[in-house]
Amino acid sequence: MTDVIMPQMGESIAEGTIVKWFKEVGQPVKKDEPLFEMSTDKVDAEIPSPGEGVLLEILVGPGTTVDVGKVVGRIGVAGTAPSGGQQSTVDSRQEKTAPARELVAAAAPARTNSHGVASVEELRRVRSSPLVRKIAAEHGVDLARVGPGTGISGRVTKTDIMAFLEKGPSVQEAPAQAPVTVPARFFHTPTPGQKFEPFSPMREKIAEHMVMSQAISAHVCTFFEVDMTRVARLRSKHRAAYESKGVKLTFTPFVMKAAIDALLEFPILNSSIVDKKVYYHPNVNLGLAVALDWGLIVPVVHKAEEKSLLGLTRSLADLAERARIKKLAPEEVAGGTFTITNPGIYGSLIGTPVINQPQVAILGMGAVTKRAVVTEEDAIAIRHMVYMALSFDHRIIDGATADKFMSRVKATLQEFPESAM
């Protein structure tokens, strides 16, 4: 018998939501064929079957959110009896995540049961692992009083809670701080004919992730104007050659290449904060925000520093296409160290992107437009111009470093070497 588990979809993702099953109990299953669809804030993905046989059990039904690593179903030989005590359809516990709007109150004391112990559902509001939540529940500890933790993105670790418990009753029983003031919610009395649409699992996760990022990182944004005329000319000159190789050459791969070169020169922007230390990632794993009809996803080009401009162009086209048809593998949305987002394709000129945790910076590019500008020779010329915005975490990146990074990106684009084509 083969267990079907909820896969890990990213280092900061602790749970996923079952969207639908492609097979019913009793139907044959082939290895690697799509078995169920799951959703997180990073990806909607079709998860392949880990084995071959018959789907014996579905333990977690559609719309249910469970921890990574949890068994959600089982595959075996036809006629094999399911394991004892397990349901053959839907997990009755229905472990739902709290709606994103509730996350604002994460620092407030958790509600308790009749024994004064915080429930697992309430403890999930503080970022922590299932093990940490179990320890907290056993000792009647409110995780809001332990956090923020020393783990990635403020996650409370086992070390954090064990240290808290070792401090003794005097600390543990101290009066809780006053709850964080939560802005008044928008209450609305529906009337006939009004349309309401519930959050999708992906939208709920995006909302959670964005609120969490704003609460963790000290967001600062710097803006640069870049002359893309040379890039536009190189793109026009080499477009046909790239198309003959099966890829469309856009402005984005040029920006990817410029960002990679700048990250190698200023590695602090390719880092993460771990246990109040700066961890420098050994490779540039470049995340690329892709807009979907149902949300946003950030597939990752791993070891992007090893790829040529053609390689980056191919990777971008491949990941974007498979993101739109839900064919990305779990590892292709995990491990990002820096992100680029391009709302300019929809006409946006400038914006302030939110950092994708646990990264410390994100680069946004606006639309490339022709404008009349004054050149160094005091002449007025028509140039291809673009605004770029870098959001960075001021906890470890200062403005001077961020601006040096952007100056490097700007210089590379304005003097892009044709040899790199």
Side-chain angles (χ1 to χ4, degrees), residues 139-162:
H139 292 81
V141 173
D142 178 1
L143 281 182
R145 293 172 56 202
V146 181
T150 58
I152 293 178
S153 303
R155 187 180 297 275
V156 176
T157 66
K158 181 181 177 182
T159 300
D160 294 329
I161 192 168
M162 296 309 295

Side-chain angles (χ1 to χ4, degrees), residues 98-230:
R101 60 180 179 273
E102 298 284 357
L103 296 174
V104 183
R111 292 193 293 269
T112 58
N113 59 22
S114 59
H115 301 288
V117 178
S119 67
V120 172
E121 288 77 12
E122 293 300 320
L123 292 175
R124 291 175 68 85
R125 295 186 183 183
V126 178
R127 297 183 64 79
S128 59
S129 69
L131 174 61
V132 169
R133 293 195 291 270
K134 179 180 178 182
I135 295 173
E138 290 175 348
H139 292 81
V141 173
D142 178 1
L143 281 182
R145 293 172 56 202
V146 181
T150 58
I152 293 178
S153 303
R155 187 180 297 275
V156 176
T157 66
K158 181 181 177 182
T159 300
D160 294 329
I161 192 168
M162 296 309 295
F164 181 83
L165 292 172
E166 289 174 2
K167 291 178 182 178
S170 61
V171 174
Q172 297 172 32
E173 296 172 4
Q177 296 180 348
V180 174
T181 301
V182 180
R185 297 177 187 169
F186 172 67
F187 289 97
H188 176 73
T189 301
T191 58
Q194 291 185 331
K195 179 182 178 181
F196 289 86
E197 182 178 321
F199 274 16
S200 66
M202 174 179 274
R203 176 52 54 192
E204 194 169 310
K205 294 295 184 180
I206 291 174
E208 174 186 344
H209 197 67
M210 294 298 97
V211 170
M212 177 267 291
S213 182
Q214 291 280 14
I216 289 176
S217 293
H219 277 70
V220 179
C221 200
T222 185
F223 304 94
F224 272 63
E225 186 178 33
V226 180
D227 188 338
M228 297 285 283
T229 304
R230 177 168 176 78

Side-chain angles (χ1 to χ4, degrees), residues 367-388:
V368 178
T369 60
K370 288 184 179 181
R371 295 203 300 273
V373 299
V374 178
T375 68
E376 291 293 330
E377 295 77 23
D378 291 334
I380 297 177
I382 304 299
R383 311 289 289 182
H384 288 79
M385 305 298 293
V386 66
Y387 292 110
M388 292 189 176

Side-chain angles (χ1 to χ4, degrees), residues 51-72:
E52 185 168 341
V54 171
L55 183 58
L56 298 177
E57 295 180 287
I58 293 179
L59 302 176
V60 178
T64 306
T65 300
V66 296
D67 291 331
V68 164
K70 179 180 176 63
V71 178
V72 298

